Amino acid sequence: MSIAVTWATTRRILQQLRHDHRTVVMIVGVPSLLMILLRYVFDQPILFDRIGPVLLGVFPFVIMFIVTSVGTLRERAGGTLERLMTTPLRAPDLLVGYALAFGLVALAQVAVVLTISLTWLGLELAGSVGTLVAVAVLDALLGVALGLLASAFARTEFQAVQLMPVFVLPQTLLCGLFVPRDQMAGWLEAISHVLPLSYAVEAMQEVSREPGVTGTLLRDMAVIAGCAVLALALGAATLRRRTP
């Protein structure tokens, strides 16, 4: 993998996003609006302090999955991807370039949403802000990696959106966001143990209630990072197979 080629891919994606105002609004504006609505729907600071940090990890995961899978399909359908693969660009360069670009965008997203939450909405954390940002960016990278992988199984942008129920919704239901995982049926809890979003939610819960970095938090972050790397590797292999 070439660092120069990967960085060129990252810059290209960021330049495209800079001119795509609707995508920027979706990435940054929608999570901010949802967090504001959540605060006033609950209208109880205690509940918001408990669920707010968790959603700061879920929002980047979901939104980056959608944006990445659709964006990659757009390049495939337009022939851009095939033309790029005839240059020194290779599958790992493309996928890592995407991951870096959207990781930077996720950092901006988390910074905006977290600033609004900590100031205007009065969110309180037991852990450090830096740790929360690190976990949220990891969650976003996981969404990017799964989005890139999912795009390999779709031929149109509509099919990419259809894959969201397969890759995202089951994880959202079983990750412990709505019901603690240990209170689920045994077979559902077993499934939740192999879903990466479960560890993303657990990591955010650790940040929200523990003042220090715990062993559980480190384990969860390692699992999230490992799943993202695995998804990128699978996406690279699939991309080679499908691209002439």
Side-chain angles (χ1 to χ4, degrees), residues 39 45 48-49 116-124:
R39 169 64 181 84
F48 181 68
D49 290 342
I116 293 173
S117 299
L118 293 176
T119 55
W120 177 11
L121 304 181
L123 178 67
E124 294 186 1

Side-chain angles (χ1 to χ4, degrees), residues 99-190:
L100 289 175
F102 284 109
L104 293 173
V105 173
L107 185 61
Q109 178 198 72
V110 173
V112 172
V113 179
L114 186 58
T115 299
I116 293 173
S117 299
L118 293 176
T119 55
W120 177 11
L121 304 181
L123 178 67
E124 294 186 1
L125 297 172
S128 71
V129 173
T131 304
L132 185 143
V133 171
V135 176
V137 171
L138 276 178
D139 295 344
L141 290 176
L142 177 63
V144 170
L146 290 178
L148 290 169
L149 178 60
S151 70
F153 301 99
R155 296 185 179 277
T156 65
E157 295 179 22
F158 180 66
Q159 289 180 356
V161 175
Q162 287 180 314
L163 287 172
M164 182 179 171
V166 178
F167 282 82
V168 176
L169 291 186
Q171 296 194 67
T172 304
L173 293 174
L174 299 177
C175 67
L177 178 62
F178 302 105
V179 178
R181 290 190 292 149
D182 57 6
Q183 295 180 16
M184 297 178 183
W187 63 278
L188 289 177
E189 183 181 1

Side-chain angles (χ1 to χ4, degrees), residues 213-237:
V213 177
T214 65
T216 300
L217 175 60
L218 292 176
R219 182 206 64 189
D220 292 340
M221 293 177 70
V223 171
I224 297 168
C227 289
V229 171
L230 177 61
L232 284 175
L234 292 174

Side-chain angles (χ1 to χ4, degrees), residues 43-63:
D43 201 26
Q44 297 183 28
I46 294 178
L47 289 177
F48 181 68
D49 290 342
R50 187 181 54 155
I51 198 69
V54 175
L55 292 179
L56 283 170
V58 173
F59 286 159
F61 171 82
V62 174
I63 291 176

